[in-house]
Amino acid sequence: MTRDEARSKIIFALDVDTLDSARHWVTTLAGRVGMFKVGKQLFTAYGPDIVRMIENNGVEVFLDLKYHDIPNTVAMASREAARLQVKLFNLHALGGYDMMARTMEMMEREFPAENRSKVLAVTILTSSTEETLREVGIEHPVTEMVPRLAKLAQKAGIDGVVASPREVALIREACGSDFLIVTPGVRPSFAASDDQKRIMTPAEAVAAGADYLVIGRPISAAADPLRAVEAIVDEIAAA
Ligand code: C5P
């Protein structure tokens, strides 16, 4: 893989709480990573302006708001995300088939296929254990629920999933090569694992079948963030 292809696979997790800090990372990393992930904290504080600010710097956005509501509400929220022209946004597969299918029917009806946002499903949050699932009445193991929900999402027309590195191979097998897989919990060989437990290196995650890697602290907490990005690009390119 070329270094540019490797770079385009990196999604920087913009986990900051001020507009100034967001601007700092956008200007520092524009052109060096493929995308920025905006989550609930930043979006709740600054709203769509944060997305526009990033896009105005020529960088693409993964809007990580994980919609989960009645089908019509999720479809309408998704329409607004797509109007912001984000590259990726997501919803919870546990919202069910109808919620996902209604959303994808709206997407296909209202946005041109070539440049519409891609929609990802979250299967089971990686913070959930078998115990978490039992508490809410789900008696199946995580390893069974993840491919089951990924297949349901694919059947509803969803473009891909967010998945932990250890689930990538399972999902590739269940959903084939045409389904996007975005993977957080990636740690380059030079970085600390922080609070991430089931980690893989960027090279391992790409080799297992990940299309994009969400990476935050290995870049943001590095003594030299730009050097960290280039080291990660090297690792992916060598995969
Ligand atoms: O700093 P770090 O590389 O751990 O950041 C990873 C990002 O991916 C964070 O924004 C985190 O919330 C998100 N994420 C994750 N694990 C998941 C889902 C999302 O680490 N299972």
Side-chain angles (χ1 to χ4, degrees), residues 121-182:
V122 174
T123 57
I124 298 293
L125 289 170
T126 47
S127 52
S128 295
T129 62
E130 318 279 283
E131 176 58 23
T132 320
L133 295 188
R134 261 198 306 278
E135 282 164 2
V136 297
I138 297 173
E139 304 287 343
H140 304 281
V142 173
T143 48
E144 194 181 311
M145 290 304 292
V146 168
R148 172 176 171 162
L149 290 166
K151 279 197 265 190
L152 186 71
Q154 189 176 38
K155 194 172 147 216
I158 296 285
D159 300 297
V161 287
V162 184
S164 90
R166 70 201 296 258
E167 296 161 353
V168 171
L170 207 61
I171 291 167
R172 267 283 161 257
E173 198 187 321
C175 299
S177 59
D178 236 18
F179 201 54
L180 287 175
I181 304 181
V182 176

Side-chain angles (χ1 to χ4, degrees), residues 13 15 37 66 126 162 184-187 195-196 214-218:
D15 293 326
K37 182 171 83 70
K66 299 187 183 72
T126 47
V162 184
V186 175
R187 284 296 175 267
D195 54 357
Q196 297 283 12
V214 176
I215 304 178
R217 288 162 293 177

